[in-house]
Each structure stands twice: as structure tokens, then as C-alpha cells.
Amino acid sequence: MPNNDTIIALSSGSLPAGVAIVRISGAKAKFIAQKLIDSVPKARKLVLREIYFADKFIDKGLIAFFPAPNSFTGEDCLEFHLHGSKAVIKALMDAVLSFTNVRLAKAGEFTLRAFENGKLDLIEAEGLADLLAAETETQRVQALGRMSGIISKKILSWREELLFLRGQIEALLDFSDEGDIIDELADSFYISLDKLISEFTHILSGFTEGRIIREGFRIVLAGSVNAGKSSLINRLTKSDLAIVSSEEGTTRDVREVEMDINSQLVKFIDMAGFRKSKSEAENEGIRRAEQQLKRADLILWLSAINIDRVKDREKAKKLLTSLEVKAPIIYLTTKADLVKNLPEDEFAISVKSGLGIEKLLKLISEKYLTLPNISDREIFISHQRDRDAIKIALTELKRARSNLEELELAAHSLKLASDSLSRLLGELDPEQILGNIFANFCVGK
């Protein structure tokens, strides 16, 4: 994205609203202020001004000016806090866009400019995106930790350590014939290298927990057709989002319904029942259901009380084994209201009477949502990009550890480990990933 233009966007919520904020960033911010309010406000001070363009009164509101480089984007920034009318904002936008080299901002472009101008690194930018998308308390806390630079600072310290270790190897390679250079690595080198390997291993072990906090805990409802999956998801989420019918094969697509359970985002996945079918649409639904099983954090397998449940669960085990599903499974007997004497060895539920529903939610909450307190962990990675970069770095560290008899190879492995961390920060080849990351932002941020 070229940043020689001045950009403008609505940065607050959808209109109409009590107050709307319009953000401008770029070289023409001062010029726009002079044209619309006759002067440039003092830096970082809200001032009340009347806004005119071509002798037309637009609105009266608060204006703030943030001069470069001490602004969010690192460029001159101007903000208008106006009445949140669609007509007011349109009038202001039309006026500003009439100037040359001024255009509407693209999704995430303000944050992209902040990244390009060194105001934040790629990890911190992702933390900001996570914060904007946060729906639960744990997501908010985790996003703030990422955005505040905790992970970035740790990565920078790791790179410094790697540079120091490489320096020791290169000193041996280049100056081993000098009298004041020892001809073997010190014990501290091995201690530092092993410590890095241990730290990388530890942080990778927390990825699943971090990913669940950020993306949500995925509970997949599976089973044969007409087992009551859609009815259960409606009961659990107290909604009527899923279509319920006595006709088999009603659900053919995947549907996600979200809940906040103990400050943890939980996603219940309703999907097609498993059976042989001549319907192409239903078979496609079954294929998608199989993909959801592979992504599940927990599976609820539903078997209606009026079918052969032993046979149904044997079928479930074969299916999950063939798909190499590793998520834990809770087998539920549904439609328990249809019989008087319930089997004691089965987890029976009834959507109609409510039997077993609270017990199920309590089990999920206490046994499967027992995530650690993220404030107790210095670093909690949550993006696949984090995992991939640190995994590569760990592999190279282990390779260096095993190649210390070939110092050139060990030094090269340490460099590759350092490069992988640099890519995580966005310092190497960022253009390959910037588009995907910043496209997830809203326009105006």
C-alpha cells in the first residue's frame, strides 16, 4: 500500500451514533485543518471549533491534532469528533476528499502505516487486531499482553542471546590462532543454548491454550441424523438459530453459535448427521462435518435413546479413528424424555425437559475449560504464525546443539533461528504476510 497519500476514514462505530470520529493521517493533515477550521490546533489538545468548507457550515465539534512522529501512525494525524449523523459525516468526507492526494483509507491502513513507521512491530499490530475482536475477558487480557510488547521484548532478548552465541562461535572460527582467544566454547555457551531450547519448548507447549483463548473453544455436536444436535444447540445457547425438524438430514451445512462461559469464548458447532446419502448437498455437508471433527477441541456425540446406541458409538469410534481425531469425546444419550427408566451408565439428556443440560454445561466448564490464568504466564502465544516461527527456531537450535563439532554449521543454524524470530516481528520479508494480517482490520484502524 503506498503511503504518500493522505488517508481518511470513519474510525468509530456505524452511523447514526451519538458521536462519530473521523481520522485523517498524512502530509495534508495540517492543510486540511487550516482549510476547514482556519488553524492547526495545539498538539494533543482537544479544541471546540466550527467546521466550514466553501462557506458551507458542516458541524461544530472537537478536533485534535497529533503531529509526526508522535502519533499513532507516525505521521501528522487529525481527528474530528462530530455529531454521528450520516449527513454530517458525508459532508465532512466529501469536503476532505475534494483535496488532491487525499483518499479513503483501506482496511487496516492506519495500523499498517504505524508498522511501516516503526511505531509498533507485527506482533503488536496483531495484538491490536485481537483486542478489537475480543469478546471475552480472557481474550481482552491476552490481546493487551500481545499489544503491549511483552512477547516482542522477549523475542528481542532471545535474538540478542543468539547473536552473542554466534559471536562466540565466530570468534573461534576467525581468531583461534590468536593468543588471547580460547580454542573451545565456554561452559556458559552450552548453558545458554540449553536454556534457550528449554524456553522455546515451554512457550510452544502453551500454544493450544493461547489459540483456544483467542479463537474460542470449539465444541462439535456430532452423531447420526435426527439425533437432536440442532435441538441441543438451541437449548444450550437459548436461541432458535438452528432449524429443527423431524425430517432426517435437515442440517446440511455447518453452523457456529457462540457463548461466553466463565469469560471463555465457546463455539458450539452444529452440522450434518452422518449417514449414507444419494444427495450431493447432504454428502457435501457430511464432508464439511468431518473437517469440523478434525478441528474440534471437544466432541459431543449424540445417540437418540430409541436407537441401538452401542452400534452407533462403535460407528463413531471407527469414524473418529479413520479421521485421526484426537479431541476428547462425551457420549450423550438424547431424547431421554421418551422413556421412564433411564440407563444408569449413560449420560442422558432431554432438550424438552431440560434433564442433564445443567450437568453437561457444568462438566464442560469444570473439566474442559480449565485454562490457566494468563496473567500468570509471561508469554502466551496464540497465532499459528507464532508457533511456526518459534518451532523453526527451536529446530535450528537443536541442530546447532548437535553440530557443535562443525562450528560453521552450528553458526548457520543459530543465524536461521534468529532470522525466524525476525520474521515473526516483521523485520524480514514482511510483504509476504502484511496483506493477510492488515486485511483483518476494520477500515479506520
Side-chain angles (χ1 to χ4, degrees):
M1 297 180 186
N3 62 5
N4 55 321
D5 291 337
T6 295
I7 56 175
I8 180 173
L10 176 68
S11 291
S12 52
S14 60
L15 303 175
V19 176
I21 300 174
V22 175
R23 173 180 286 177
I24 297 170
S25 180
K28 282 207 167 180
K30 288 183 180 179
F31 172 81
I32 293 168
Q34 291 168 343
K35 288 294 183 180
L36 271 58
I37 61 174
D38 292 329
S39 63
V40 179
K42 290 184 179 180
R44 291 173 293 281
K45 299 289 185 181
L46 277 174
V47 297
L48 182 63
R49 292 287 188 274
E50 291 184 343
I51 304 165
Y52 285 87
F53 179 68
D55 296 326
K56 181 178 74 173
F57 178 59
I58 295 177
D59 195 17
K60 185 177 182 179
L62 296 171
I63 294 92
F65 176 66
F66 305 91
N70 299 316
S71 69
F72 174 72
T73 63
E75 304 172 332
D76 284 347
C77 287
L78 189 65
E79 285 188 0
F80 292 84
H81 298 233
L82 308 174
H83 296 99
S85 155
K86 292 182 179 180
V88 168
I89 300 307
K90 183 179 186 303
L92 177 67
M93 300 281 274
D94 288 346
V96 174
L97 290 170
S98 70
F99 300 124
T100 58
N101 297 322
V102 180
R103 61 174 172 81
L104 290 172
K106 300 177 183 178
E109 192 167 2
F110 289 96
T111 308
L112 173 58
R113 291 190 177 196
F115 166 73
E116 290 176 335
N117 292 322
K119 305 301 291 186
L120 73 174
D121 61 41
L122 209 51
I123 291 176
E124 293 165 343
E126 288 173 320
L128 176 56
D130 290 348
L131 183 62
L132 294 175
E135 299 180 41
T136 66
E137 177 65 11
T138 51
Q139 288 178 324
R140 182 189 69 82
V141 173
Q142 179 170 268
L144 283 174
R146 189 179 188 91
M147 190 179 73
S148 67
I150 292 176
I151 297 178
S152 300
K153 290 174 183 176
K154 189 62 178 178
I155 290 173
L156 288 172
S157 72
W158 284 338
R159 284 201 321 182
E160 287 294 320
E161 186 69 19
L162 287 170
L163 181 62
F164 179 69
L165 295 178
R166 284 172 57 197
Q168 293 185 56
I169 291 178
E170 289 167 3
L172 282 180
L173 291 172
D174 296 338
F175 306 108
S176 58
D177 57 341
E178 299 290 336
D180 57 346
I181 300 293
I182 60 175
D183 60 356
E184 62 181 20
L185 294 168
D187 290 343
S188 60
F189 176 94
Y190 294 92
I191 293 173
S192 296
L193 183 56
D194 289 341
K195 181 182 177 183
L196 283 175
I197 290 173
S198 177
E199 288 184 0
F200 283 25
T201 302
H202 175 67
I203 192 174
L204 284 172
S205 70
F207 168 74
T208 298
E209 295 161 339
R211 191 268 305 164
I212 287 174
I213 290 173
R214 187 176 72 86
E215 297 180 359
F217 187 83
R218 300 180 65 84
I219 301 179
V220 173
L221 279 64
S224 301
V225 294
N226 213 18
K229 298 181 292 297
S230 296
S231 297
L232 178 57
I233 207 168
N234 285 345
R235 177 78 188 215
L236 291 173
T237 59
K238 299 178 182 180
S239 70
D240 294 315
L241 295 176
I243 298 175
V244 177
S245 170
S246 59
E247 179 183 347
E248 293 186 350
T250 300
T251 303
R252 297 189 176 186
D253 205 351
V254 174
R255 181 182 292 104
E256 293 187 4
V257 184
E258 298 180 352
M259 283 185 66
D260 184 337
I261 301 179
N262 296 337
S263 295
Q264 168 62 46
L265 177 64
V266 177
K267 294 183 178 181
F268 288 97
I269 316 298
D270 184 25
M271 58 190 196
F274 291 96
R275 69 169 180 176
K276 294 181 180 180
S277 174
K278 296 181 179 180
S279 167
E280 291 186 10
E282 188 173 354
N283 286 331
E284 174 61 21
I286 293 172
R287 187 192 68 80
R288 295 184 183 186
E290 291 175 348
Q291 294 301 314
Q292 292 298 322
L293 288 173
K294 295 178 181 179
R295 297 177 56 199
D297 297 306
L298 174 67
I299 297 170
L300 304 183
W301 187 276
L302 279 60
S303 304
I305 201 165
N306 55 356
I307 68 168
D308 186 338
R309 296 183 298 287
V310 174
K311 185 177 180 180
D312 187 58
R313 288 163 187 172
E314 285 298 322
K315 180 182 72 174
K317 293 175 182 178
K318 290 180 180 179
L319 172 65
L320 298 174
T321 299
S322 68
L323 296 175
E324 298 182 349
V325 173
K326 298 180 180 179
I329 306 165
I330 299 176
Y331 291 102
L332 298 175
T333 298
T334 62
K335 305 182 181 182
D337 55 282
L338 297 180
V339 298
K340 292 183 178 180
N341 299 317
L342 296 174
E344 295 182 358
D345 59 342
E346 295 188 39
F347 196 146
I349 63 171
S350 169
V351 170
K352 182 177 291 186
S353 69
L355 174 70
I357 302 298
E358 290 301 320
K359 177 183 175 183
L360 176 61
L361 285 173
K362 184 177 180 180
L363 175 64
I364 292 171
S365 177
E366 294 180 354
K367 184 174 181 179
Y368 298 100
L369 297 182
T370 54
L371 296 176
N373 185 344
I374 60 176
S375 63
D376 293 338
R377 194 183 187 106
E378 184 180 1
I379 297 180
F380 219 110
I381 62 172
S382 56
H383 289 248
Q384 186 63 41
R385 206 171 65 84
D386 304 339
R387 184 187 192 185
D388 292 344
I390 296 175
K391 195 172 183 178
I392 290 172
L394 176 60
T395 298
E396 294 300 335
L397 288 183
K398 291 180 177 179
R399 185 172 289 128
R401 186 68 170 83
S402 63
N403 284 332
L404 288 176
E405 293 183 359
E406 299 288 341
L407 292 180
E408 292 90 345
L409 295 177
H412 183 62
S413 289
L414 293 180
K415 179 182 182 302
L416 293 178
S418 181
D419 288 349
S420 185
L421 298 180
S422 295
R423 289 189 179 91
L424 188 52
L425 293 169
E427 295 178 358
L428 291 178
D429 306 324
E431 66 278 357
Q432 297 179 6
I433 54 177
L434 290 184
N436 290 333
I437 291 175
F438 290 100
N440 292 322
F441 282 78
C442 56
V443 173
K445 193 60 182 175

